[in-house]
Amino acid sequence: MAATTTGTDVLFILLGAIMVFAMHAGFAFLEVGTVRRKNQVNALIKILVDFAVSTICYFFVGYSVAYGIDFLVNAAVLSGTATAEGYSFASNGYDLVKFFFLLTFAAAIPAIISGGIAERAKFWPQLMATAVLTALAYPFFEGIIWNGNFGLQDWLEATFGATFHDFAGSIVVHGVGGWIALGAVLLLGARLGRYKKDGRVIGIPPSNIPFLALGSWILCIGWFGFNVMSAQAIDGISGLVALNSLMAMVGGILAALVVGKNDPGFVHNGALAGLVAVCAGSDVMHPLGSLLTGLVAGGLFVYAFTVCQNRFKIDDVLGVWPLHGLCGLWGGLAAGIFGAEALGGLGGVSFTVQLIVSVAGCLYALVAGLIVYGVLKMTTGIRLDEQSEFDGADLSIHKIGAYPEEDLK
């Protein structure tokens, strides 16, 4: 029975890893549909290569930073069929698929950032940033929250009666990714022609609404692996997480539909806003609390995106700071509100703790983004030259466009 249980857990978390890995196709097509045609190939290449770099860096460095585990032993030990001093791996390779699952979360950080810096960022410096972020910056915070590193969670429980609760990463993944992206976007500057000296804001419409919608659909489907399979074992699976994810998603859609006045970009991102926000408390909220969380997130995204672009003149192309940064921050707070027993939740959460750590985590990410991209800006540079940006990243970097036959005409 023990072998059957372990094998089932391996399959369970492997399916979750595959679903979250598939979400990276969603990130790619969401960006492809939003950017101009001359930058579509670059969007696809960035997401795929970022995943490859993330894998190497998280395997050799990041996972050890977060969990104190490395894989530098023989395959028999890794698979759990043999032992070695200082190493303890579960049978059936459970720890290996757990790494795969958590890697897909780590790789979401550069995938999130990619949407904010689209259309004018250099390719190789971005890969350097990906390496640092997935090897050090993200795992450092991940380990504090999800592995109890440095005793912060123990101190919070002793002081406030509860640890920081982030079941599936509203703060750890989305908040961190979104606030790092804000630092990168601020240092990178706006796209050419986006804002005029007389104060006018020049709109740049999406290149392909069906691709944008496809990206959103893929992300929505994969998100149920992102949230539900964060249990990481079959006996921890909860239908409550699935229903809460669903309710938050539809809440985000409906709020974005109304506040965004039927705009398709807002509607499809509204679904993602709701899902970002519910990650933290999806295992402790009542479905009605999740619906409210999604409704607030959908409206927050539309409002914040508009203010960010038009009033603050921050050219965050896909709105990743409003979507992941602000909605992730809201999700951390919402877990402390709607997770409380008084509002129908399962309890075990403290709003004070959720507030303190959520804000601290976002500030940490912003500082990390400013440092990493600031150093790169001063050394290698992070922005394409004007001619390359005008020609588009596809031809400037990859020497081929999304529609090669048209380039021959």
Side-chain angles (χ1 to χ4, degrees), residues 103-128:
L103 160 68
T104 60
F105 283 53
I109 300 298
I112 290 167
I113 296 167
S114 176
I117 64 175
E119 301 204 289
R120 75 276 201 203
K122 286 184 176 180
F123 183 66
W124 288 103
Q126 170 55 19
L127 294 184
M128 295 177 195

Side-chain angles (χ1 to χ4, degrees), residues 248 251-252 273-274 277-278 285 288-298 330-331 334-335 338:
V278 80
M285 292 180 179
L288 290 179
S290 295
L291 177 62
L292 290 171
T293 298
L295 286 167
V296 172
W330 159 238
F338 298 112

Side-chain angles (χ1 to χ4, degrees), residues 191-202 313 386:
R191 289 169 288 177
L192 293 175
R194 183 75 171 97
Y195 304 111
K196 296 298 184 180
K197 292 181 179 179
D198 61 6
R200 286 182 298 143
V201 178
I202 305 302
K313 293 183 170 56
E386 288 192 12

Side-chain angles (χ1 to χ4, degrees), residues 307-320:
V307 170
C308 176
Q309 298 282 340
N310 299 334
R311 185 182 303 173
F312 297 154
K313 293 183 170 56
I314 299 173
D315 192 16
D316 178 353
V317 180
L318 267 67
V320 297

